[in-house]
Amino acid sequence: MIYTDTRDSSVKVDFKTAVINGMNSKTGGLYIPVEFPRMPESILQSKIEPSFRTVALEMAKPYCAGEIPDEDLDAIIQDAYPFISKLNQIDPSTYVLELFHGPTCAFKDFGARFMARVMSYFNRENKDNLHILVATSGDTGSAVGSAFHNVPGIDVTILYPEGKISPLQEKQLSTFTGNVRALKVKGTFDDCQKLVKTAFVDNELRSKFRLSSANSINISRLLPQGFYYMYASLLAKAKAPVSNKMQDPAIIMTVPSGNFGNLTSGLIAQKMGAPIAGFVAATNSNRTIPDWIATGKYEARPSVETYANAMDVGAPSNYERIAAMYSLDEVRSMFASYWTDNDGIINGIQECHKKTGYVIDPHGAIAWKAWDEIRNGGMEALVKGAKNDFTKPGLTSNVPSWAKEIINKNAVGILLETADPAKFGATVKQAIGKDPVIPERLQKIMNLPDQAIPMENDYNKFKDWLMATL
């Protein structure tokens, strides 16, 4: 497979180069495949429930072809996924795709564990360490740290915004030792991301160290997140005649979105044949993408702190990939777009619990709010000509191609639950009056000593630290 660059389509590199480099240091662009091969029809047309690991292997094959033999790729996938995503039906037309059953209780485990094993595979004969730099707004860092911990030949530096993630999330980040270290930056996620991106285009640093990324900047983290979109949509399709009393429903993926890597992974799965009719881009007060969809103007801005902190991103990196893959008119046809504020997040947790009994986290709560509004008159109002004020919480006014399926009650929603509610216990308790159950693997972390290193939001100081430490 050949990979090109979002900023220069003349660039052509192989999978290994895209993975190890993370992004193109010459242009600052992100790597994307030049094509998206269709999955085997034997899997797409099967009437039986799919196997997650079989889906993962068949999706990964074309992107690694000629560089990772199928036998080795299968071993990577088997080792990466001792867990799978779980599709939980919570009402007649709604599923929750639980993506928190991995070691760090967040969806980032799916991408990070595959990426770590692929990087280790490509680095196995290199004498010099590969240095991973990653910015996190919550769960990325812990997933990456866990995936790479004690992996030979690779070390990891995680940057997170001090005081702007949940206490449990910070504990997950600040307690790593050995080849994984965390820097608590006096700033926002966007500041952390800017420090990392600047390092990648710093010629002096790159001449001295082998640097790579582990955010959704890196294609090897983005591609495996597509596995659960393919798996969940095929599973929902197989279940529909019995579970939803629908023979061929339109499947709508409702995606809590910050840096928009997760949603981009869904677009890749759709291109490969996943039976997904459309997407809902659901975000918090950091509404850069909804504003772009509403107005046609993309304007990055400083991030705003919210209860759904993993989505506190004002300059989403994967906008570049979406804009490289589709025109704005195509995006408006595929996406419904929705945002809400902190009051809406609390209300979403409350209403989901009240109506279904399901305890959802703040990010999933935004997906719930979006889907519930869409199916209960919101989409029909748009079809009839309603013009919503995009500066206020709610749906943007574009009408996606799948709108009539909603009105005709021939659609099911899959809400992506990207983290265990226990990681946001205080917010969940504020909403429903009780603490969520804390998984044992999270309880153990709370007693570990903090190891995080303070860092100013100053690139020169960050660079000096890298030069002295790596």
Side-chain angles (χ1 to χ4, degrees):
M1 174 68 72
I2 300 299
Y3 295 79
T4 188
D5 176 349
T6 54
R7 299 185 184 181
D8 183 356
S9 60
S10 69
V11 171
K12 300 289 186 290
V13 301
D14 60 12
F15 185 54
K16 180 178 180 179
T17 300
V19 170
I20 297 299
N21 289 348
M23 62 186 288
N24 189 341
S25 61
K26 293 181 179 179
T27 68
L30 309 184
Y31 292 113
I32 55 173
V34 296
E35 59 179 325
F36 301 93
R38 189 173 173 85
M39 283 278 281
E41 293 300 321
S42 58
I43 292 178
L44 295 178
Q45 303 304 326
S46 177
K47 301 296 183 183
I48 62 174
E49 295 185 2
S51 156
F52 177 83
R53 295 176 190 90
T54 298
V55 166
L57 178 61
E58 292 302 323
M59 279 192 75
K61 277 181 181 179
Y63 299 107
C64 307
E67 297 181 72
I68 304 178
D70 289 352
E71 183 177 342
D72 292 341
L73 185 59
D74 185 43
I76 286 171
I77 287 169
Q78 295 297 327
D79 187 47
Y81 302 120
F83 59 93
I84 64 171
S85 57
K86 296 183 180 180
L87 196 65
N88 189 346
Q89 187 171 8
I90 61 172
D91 71 30
S93 64
T94 309
Y95 293 96
V96 171
L97 181 59
E98 295 180 343
L99 300 172
F100 53 72
H101 295 288
T104 71
C105 300
F107 81 98
K108 310 290 178 74
D109 287 325
F110 285 90
R113 288 176 64 84
F114 179 86
M115 175 181 59
R117 284 147 184 78
V118 167
M119 283 188 170
S120 179
Y121 182 88
F122 284 143
N123 198 55
R124 64 195 187 281
E125 295 178 357
N126 202 302
K127 295 180 180 179
D128 297 325
N129 273 14
L130 181 64
H131 300 280
I132 307 295
L133 303 180
V134 57
T136 182
S137 56
D139 291 322
T140 293
S142 56
V144 169
S146 172
F148 281 99
H149 193 230
N150 294 329
V151 172
I154 300 178
D155 64 23
V156 179
T157 301
I158 304 165
L159 288 74
Y160 71 90
E162 183 178 5
K164 292 180 171 60
I165 61 177
S166 78
L168 202 158
Q169 285 178 313
E170 181 162 15
K171 199 70 172 176
Q172 284 187 290
L173 292 168
S174 67
T175 52
F176 284 116
T177 58
N179 68 322
V180 179
R181 62 190 73 84
L183 305 182
K184 49 184 179 183
V185 176
K186 296 186 184 303
T188 66
F189 167 74
D190 294 320
D191 296 324
C192 296
Q193 185 161 253
K194 185 177 180 181
L195 291 174
V196 169
K197 285 186 171 182
T198 305
F200 283 131
V201 296
D202 187 316
N203 291 330
E204 183 182 8
L205 270 182
R206 295 205 74 115
S207 68
K208 188 174 178 63
F209 304 111
R210 297 173 62 233
L211 301 179
S212 188
S213 71
N215 288 73
S216 53
I217 290 170
N218 196 303
I219 194 67
S220 67
R221 224 200 78 192
L222 203 70
L223 291 171
Q225 290 175 179
F227 300 163
Y228 50 73
Y229 282 93
M230 183 69 73
Y231 169 75
S233 58
L234 290 171
L235 183 56
K237 180 181 177 182
K239 286 176 173 289
V242 174
S243 299
N244 312 106
K245 311 303 180 190
M246 302 178 192
Q247 289 304 312
D248 188 24
I251 296 172
I252 311 301
M253 308 297 291
T254 307
V255 189
S257 303
N259 216 16
F260 278 76
N262 199 0
L263 200 150
T264 305
S265 299
L267 296 175
I268 292 172
Q270 185 190 49
K271 279 181 170 289
M272 296 184 71
I276 298 171
F279 298 86
V280 182
T283 192
N284 57 23
S285 297
N286 296 278
R287 50 187 175 85
T288 304
I289 295 296
D291 283 5
W292 169 59
I293 292 173
T295 68
K297 297 179 180 179
Y298 175 81
E299 296 181 356
R301 76 270 322 247
S303 59
V304 178
E305 190 173 348
T306 76
Y307 293 148
N309 64 272
M311 293 150 59
D312 292 351
V313 183
S317 292
N318 284 284
Y319 160 76
E320 281 204 31
R321 285 192 173 108
I322 295 172
M325 292 166 66
Y326 300 99
S327 69
L328 179 57
D329 284 344
E330 289 172 327
V331 168
R332 287 169 170 162
S333 179
M334 288 189 300
F335 291 11
S337 180
Y338 176 93
W339 75 275
T340 193
D341 54 17
N342 277 345
D343 288 342
I345 292 171
I346 294 296
N347 178 259
I349 298 171
Q350 290 171 337
E351 288 298 306
C352 182
H353 187 253
K354 179 181 177 180
K355 292 181 178 180
T356 71
Y358 190 83
V359 178
I360 203 162
D361 94 296
H363 305 78
I366 298 176
W368 163 267
K369 284 275 291 183
W371 171 244
D372 213 37
E373 181 170 329
I374 284 169
R375 64 177 173 164
N376 288 313
M379 186 57 68
E380 186 171 5
L382 294 182
V383 169
K384 290 180 178 179
K387 298 298 181 184
N388 295 345
D389 182 350
F390 70 90
T391 67
K392 296 180 180 179
L395 290 166
T396 53
S397 294
N398 62 295
V399 177
S401 60
W402 42 268
K404 289 185 179 180
E405 301 285 2
I406 297 290
I407 296 170
N408 294 335
K409 307 295 183 184
N410 187 46
V412 297
I414 298 180
L415 317 181
L416 272 64
E417 174 67 328
T418 53
D420 193 297
K423 301 184 87 167
F424 310 92
T427 302
V428 172
K429 186 175 182 179
Q430 178 184 343
I432 64 173
K434 64 179 181 179
D435 291 309
V437 177
I438 302 178
E440 183 180 355
R441 58 193 183 281
L442 293 182
Q443 291 178 351
K444 291 179 179 178
I445 292 169
M446 298 306 293
N447 296 320
L448 296 176
D450 291 339
Q451 307 282 348
I453 301 163
M455 177 60 60
E456 296 293 325
N457 178 25
D458 182 303
Y459 178 70
N460 289 328
K461 291 182 179 179
F462 175 54
K463 179 178 177 178
D464 289 344
W465 184 89
L466 291 175
M467 296 287 281
T469 306
L470 297 187

